[in-house]
């Protein structure tokens, strides 16, 4: 139905032109899922005879608990939504918003605020939290003497700057005069229990004040439509049992990498995803690894242990429930009590040395190096729960319909006298047979989206498996017949062995979907060449694309590649934009704020 017909119907229903204009403006930036939710919400308001605004009592403005989340991969968003649902069930008035969508000036009008935020990279704020994080640390931040707040941080103790962004928000809000509802909680990767305890503490502290106020001012009823609810029924905690269709190696026989193209069936699930989203994969640990670990500790695999209220065999729990292929400080802290090793305890005294040690070892390596007498239950209690792995989706449903494709690098190496494999990568690549079952869910990523306008040019920088989402981008743009130009930067060790999806990219070029490809194969010449070198070589044209409104995307390694690309961008803007380093940094910051510079790095 055309917009003209829609407007005519709206006017016939009693809307005036000003109201119609406001509706158009409010819904222009919403995606289909958000529009579906909004339709259910408005239907609920109509059924209850309410307006979309919140009625105010005569005794003063209503108080709400405002939940702000800053999320890079979706975890903070999920935690925030879970808390909002619990507050709704208790009839405690609450609002929820992404920091990216929140109007900073509104902060001074809030009475109760909770911040749920992850930390990205080396202590950096996630993309959708950057603007608010900067605002609170700047000169324009308001005094917040009437605000009560609490902060929940999501992070990983394996990283040096654990929950740094949460610590920043907590300190800045305090410095601006706000009062803590309860102390900040910093969560490790296995965050469910800590987050739930924080929920309960905050709720207990604010319940009486907010529910007393809300008896005078009723928040609108939120009614989720059936279709929106169906789209979100498969989550991290309730995944979909999918089927592996194909696991095909797409690097050459002599490649130094083993990279797989994975195809998974979502048939009959109703699951929808968009280019830029990630697929969460729950995997099983290798039974050979589990048997070796149990043998090292002289524990029988059928020994009964308690796990989440159930009595299970230790082998079952180790295969299906616990993290074994990534090492983490909490394990060393507890295991050291049983190992009674001076050397192991010394590692705990230097966090940087401990991080370096753990980065090179799996759990079994630590146990081999520092043997201990430990019971099956004690072992379970020292290990943290398994967390799913997130993979950038390499397909568009406009092309593959009820399938989802991934590009997975098999982690496989020799160290400390033994062969090692990654948990999820080896499960998908070598241990799960075609037709086998795998539990999955979609992790939406609104921080990595194609431009709404198909005429907008796009620059994609994705070496190695970072090419995955750009395959999805091009499938989508081809299906939509978008006219915007597309430029890919791709790199890997060798042209003949490692040009991932080579025939597909050649077809994209032939059919005019992709206008330019810049390749960097590092080992095809004596001097190594990477994507950032190609960017600098073509800096004038790249800067011209940016000046013409191009969106720039980076996907892949966060530790080295993403930093090198960032440095190259700064140099390009300095040289070809005739700017100082400070002005160049601001130029790139402005691109990020305008969502024209987006990263999916890991």
């Amino acid at each position: 139905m055309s917009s003209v017909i829609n407007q005519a119907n709206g006017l016939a229903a009693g809307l005036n032109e000003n109201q119609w204009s406001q509706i158009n403006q409010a819904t222009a930036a919403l995606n289909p899922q958000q529009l579906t939710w909004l339709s259910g919400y408005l239907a609920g308001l109509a059924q209850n005879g309410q307006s979309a605004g919140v009625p105010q009592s005569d005794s003063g403005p209503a108080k709400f608990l405002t939940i702000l989340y800053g999320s890079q991969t979706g975890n903070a968003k999920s935690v925030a939504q879970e808390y909002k649902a619990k507050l709704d069930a208790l009839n405690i008035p609450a609002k929820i918003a992404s920091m990216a969508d929140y109007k900073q000036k509104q902060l001074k009008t809030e009475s109760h605020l909770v911040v749920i935020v992850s930390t990205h990279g080396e202590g950096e704020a996630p993309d959708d939290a950057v603007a608010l994080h900067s605002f609170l640390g700047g000169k324009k931040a308001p005094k917040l003497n009437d605000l009560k707040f609490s902060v929940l941080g999501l992070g990983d103790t394996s990283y040096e700057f654990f929950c740094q962004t949460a610590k920043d928000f907590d300190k800045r809000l305090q410095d601006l005069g706000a009062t803590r509802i309860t102390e900040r909680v910093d969560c490790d990767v296995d965050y469910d229990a800590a987050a739930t305890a924080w929920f309960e503490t905050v709720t207990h502290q604010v319940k009486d004040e907010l529910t007393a106020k809300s008896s005078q001012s009723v928040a609108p009823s939120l009614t989720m439509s059936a279709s929106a609810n169906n789209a979100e029924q498969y989550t991290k905690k309730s995944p979909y049992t999918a089927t592996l269709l194909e696991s095909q190696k797409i690097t050459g026989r002599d490649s130094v990498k083993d990279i797989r193209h994975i195809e998974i069936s979502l048939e009959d699930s109703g699951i929808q995803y968009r280019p830029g989203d990630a697929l969460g994969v729950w995997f099983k640990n290798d039974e050979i690894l589990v048997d070796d670990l149990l043998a090292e500790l002289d524990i029988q695999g059928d020994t009964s242990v308690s796990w989440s209220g159930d009595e299970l065999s230790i082998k079952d729990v180790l295969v299906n429930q616990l993290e074994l292929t990534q090492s983490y400080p909490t394990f060393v802290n507890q295991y050291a009590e049983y190992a009674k090793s001076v050397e192991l305890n010394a590692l705990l005294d230097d966090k940087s040395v401990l991080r370096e040690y753990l980065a090179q070892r799996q759990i079994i390596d630590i146990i081999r190096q520092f043997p201990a007498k430990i019971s099956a239950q004690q072992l379970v209690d020292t290990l943290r729960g398994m967390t799913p792995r997130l993979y950038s989706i390499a397909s568009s449903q406009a092309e593959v319909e009820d399938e989802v494709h991934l590009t997975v690098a098999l982690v496989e190496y020799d160290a400390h006298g033994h062969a090692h494999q990654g948990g999820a990568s080896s499960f998908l690549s070598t241990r799960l047979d075609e037709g086998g079952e795998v539990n999955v869910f979609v992790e939406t990523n609104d921080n990595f989206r194609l431009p709404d306008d198909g005429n907008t040019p796009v620059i994609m920088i994705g070496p190695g498996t970072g090419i995955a989402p750009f395959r999805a981008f091009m499938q989508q743009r081809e299906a939509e017949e978008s006219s915007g130009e597309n430029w890919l930067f791709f790199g890997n060790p060798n042209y003949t062995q490692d040009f991932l999806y080579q025939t597909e990219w050649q077809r994209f070029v032939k059919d005019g979907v992709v206008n330019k490809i810049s390749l960097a194969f590092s080992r095809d010449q004596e001097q190594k060449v990477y994507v950032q070198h190609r960017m600098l070589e073509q800096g004038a044209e790249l800067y011209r694309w940016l000046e013409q409104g191009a969106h720039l995307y980076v996907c892949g390694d966060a530790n080295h590649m993403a930093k090198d690309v960032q440095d190259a961008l700064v140099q390009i803007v300095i040289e070809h934009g005739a700017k100082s380093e400070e002005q160049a940094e601001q130029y790139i910051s402005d691109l990020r704020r305008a969502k024209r510079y987006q990263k999916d790095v890991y």
Side-chain angles (χ1 to χ4, degrees):
M1 185 181 292
S2 71
S3 59
V4 175
I5 297 175
N6 274 328
Q7 182 174 6
N9 288 340
L11 296 174
L15 297 172
N16 60 43
E17 290 190 7
N18 183 51
Q19 289 170 323
W20 178 251
S21 175
Q22 290 176 331
I23 289 171
N24 266 341
Q25 185 176 1
T27 59
L30 299 183
N31 62 40
Q33 183 177 339
Q34 292 168 326
L35 289 169
T36 302
W37 179 89
L38 182 61
S39 68
Y41 169 67
L42 295 174
L45 293 178
Q47 185 175 358
N48 293 325
Q50 295 173 297
S51 69
V54 179
Q56 304 295 316
S57 72
D58 293 336
S59 59
K63 292 183 178 180
F64 292 84
L65 182 63
T66 297
I67 304 169
L68 290 182
Y69 64 85
S71 186
Q72 191 70 30
T73 62
N75 285 336
K77 178 180 179 181
S78 297
V79 172
Q81 290 173 331
E82 180 181 348
Y83 188 35
K84 174 64 164 59
K86 290 183 177 182
L87 292 170
D88 289 345
L90 294 170
N91 292 319
I92 296 175
K95 301 177 288 186
I96 184 171
S98 164
M99 293 181 186
D101 302 324
Y102 184 73
K103 294 181 180 179
Q104 298 164 356
K105 293 181 180 180
Q106 189 176 330
L107 195 60
K108 60 186 177 184
T109 69
E110 304 286 2
S111 63
H112 297 75
L113 173 73
V114 294
V115 171
I116 301 173
V117 66
S118 62
T119 295
H120 182 55
E122 295 186 358
E124 300 168 6
D127 287 348
D128 56 6
V130 168
L132 184 61
H133 182 267
S134 177
F135 173 75
L136 288 176
K139 296 178 181 179
K140 295 184 179 181
K143 292 296 181 183
L144 300 173
N145 297 324
D146 297 326
L147 178 68
K148 297 178 180 179
F149 77 98
S150 188
V151 177
L152 181 75
L154 301 185
D156 184 339
T157 52
S158 301
Y159 288 88
E160 180 178 359
F161 300 99
F162 174 60
C163 286
Q164 185 59 50
T165 305
K167 295 172 184 176
D168 292 344
F169 273 105
D170 187 63
K171 184 178 186 303
R172 291 176 186 182
L173 289 169
Q174 180 192 38
D175 290 346
L176 292 170
T179 304
R180 288 187 183 87
I181 297 168
T182 188
E183 292 298 313
R184 184 190 75 249
V185 171
D186 298 331
C187 299
D188 203 352
V189 174
D190 190 11
Y191 54 76
D192 286 341
T196 298
W198 178 81
F199 290 165
E200 293 173 354
T201 302
V202 174
T203 303
H204 176 74
Q205 295 294 331
V206 304
K207 178 174 61 176
D208 291 343
E209 183 176 356
L210 294 184
T211 52
K213 195 74 177 180
S214 68
S215 65
Q216 303 166 357
S217 175
V218 181
S221 170
L222 303 184
T223 304
M224 184 71 74
S225 71
S227 58
N229 186 57
N230 181 61
E232 296 179 353
Q233 64 178 316
Y234 299 113
T235 64
K236 178 181 177 181
K237 294 183 179 180
S238 180
Y240 174 68
T241 302
T243 303
L244 178 69
L245 296 175
E246 182 176 310
S247 174
Q248 178 185 0
K249 185 179 179 184
I250 54 174
T251 44
R253 186 187 336 180
D254 299 323
S255 174
V256 296
K257 298 183 177 183
D258 184 338
I259 297 178
R260 304 293 177 109
H261 172 71
I262 306 289
E263 297 186 0
I264 294 172
S265 173
L266 302 176
E267 189 173 6
D268 298 327
S269 69
I271 290 175
Q272 299 292 308
Y273 60 85
R274 300 171 63 194
D277 288 340
L279 190 74
V281 176
W282 286 102
F283 60 98
K284 297 179 185 293
N285 284 313
D286 187 357
E287 290 194 26
I288 296 175
L289 171 64
V290 170
D291 289 340
D292 288 347
L293 188 151
L294 291 172
E296 290 288 337
L297 294 170
D298 195 23
I299 297 174
Q300 298 300 309
D302 59 0
T303 304
S304 181
V305 295
S306 177
W307 174 257
S308 295
D310 295 323
E311 293 296 318
L312 303 168
S313 74
I314 180 68
K315 182 169 182 177
D316 185 3
V317 175
L318 289 175
V319 168
N320 297 294
Q321 306 292 344
L322 297 173
E323 189 65 70
L324 299 181
T325 54
Q326 293 182 348
S327 297
Y328 32 93
T330 51
F331 170 75
V332 177
N333 274 315
Q334 296 181 63
Y335 183 73
E337 296 180 15
Y338 304 107
K340 303 186 187 307
S341 164
V342 174
E343 184 182 352
L344 187 57
N345 276 288
L347 285 172
L348 295 171
D349 295 332
D350 190 326
K351 291 183 178 180
S352 62
V353 172
L354 178 61
R355 278 191 299 273
E356 184 178 346
Y357 173 83
L358 294 177
Q360 301 170 17
R361 288 165 176 81
Q362 295 184 345
I363 295 295
I364 195 170
D365 297 318
I366 302 170
I367 290 173
R368 282 172 175 151
Q369 185 176 357
F370 303 106
K373 186 63 179 176
I374 185 172
S375 71
Q377 188 62 55
Q378 287 170 333
L379 175 63
V380 167
D381 293 342
T382 63
L383 295 167
R384 75 183 182 195
M386 181 185 291
T387 54
R389 303 298 192 256
L390 297 179
Y391 292 99
S392 301
I393 292 175
S395 56
S396 163
Q397 285 187 295
E399 171 73 19
V400 304
E401 299 181 343
D402 57 3
E403 296 178 8
V404 60
H405 297 176
L406 307 176
T407 310
V408 176
L410 172 62
V411 177
E412 194 170 35
Y413 60 96
D414 291 327
H416 316 295
H418 297 272
H420 294 68
Q421 284 190 329
S425 67
S426 63
F427 176 71
L428 289 171
S429 301
T430 63
R431 290 188 280 115
L432 185 65
D433 294 330
E434 292 182 2
E437 294 182 343
V438 54
N439 291 330
V440 302
F441 60 96
V442 171
E443 193 73 77
T444 59
N445 186 0
D446 291 331
N447 294 317
F448 204 75
R449 290 283 186 241
L450 277 167
D452 293 330
D453 184 353
N455 297 316
T456 304
V458 162
I459 302 168
M460 302 164 287
I461 303 167
T465 56
I467 201 171
F470 303 136
R471 180 177 185 262
F473 277 18
M474 292 304 96
Q475 287 181 355
Q476 185 72 24
R477 288 205 126 184
E478 182 176 41
E480 294 177 350
E481 298 182 351
S482 301
S483 59
E485 292 187 308
N486 302 296
W487 183 357
L488 172 72
F489 286 85
F490 173 72
N492 237 352
N494 301 106
Y495 176 86
T496 57
Q497 304 293 323
D498 305 305
F499 192 168
L500 306 184
Y501 304 111
Q502 178 179 356
T503 56
E504 291 187 33
W505 287 104
Q506 288 173 335
R507 184 188 66 77
F508 282 141
V509 171
K510 179 182 177 183
D511 293 348
V513 179
V514 174
N515 305 86
K516 188 177 180 65
I517 294 182
S518 299
L519 300 172
F521 291 101
S522 58
R523 301 189 184 183
D524 278 351
Q525 60 283 311
E526 184 176 347
Q527 185 176 4
K528 291 185 178 179
V529 176
Y530 298 109
V531 288
Q532 65 268 21
H533 299 131
R534 297 298 186 220
M535 292 170 60
L536 290 167
E537 288 171 3
Q538 302 180 67
E541 185 173 2
L542 194 153
Y543 182 73
R544 186 165 59 251
W545 277 50
L546 291 176
E547 286 292 279
Q548 293 170 350
H551 286 216
L552 187 144
Y553 302 86
V554 181
C555 183
D557 169 56
N559 293 326
H560 302 289
M561 182 277 296
K563 296 175 185 176
D564 292 338
V565 165
Q566 172 86 6
D567 291 342
L569 278 175
V570 171
Q571 291 305 311
I572 287 168
V573 175
I574 290 172
E575 180 179 353
H576 302 285
K579 299 182 187 298
S580 67
E581 183 172 353
E582 182 179 352
Q583 289 172 328
E585 294 279 4
Q586 185 60 50
Y587 182 92
I588 292 168
S589 180
D590 291 342
L591 289 178
R592 186 184 294 111
R593 286 192 176 90
K595 292 190 177 294
R596 290 180 51 208
Y597 176 27
Q598 300 183 32
K599 295 182 288 186
D600 177 12
V601 296
Y602 37 83

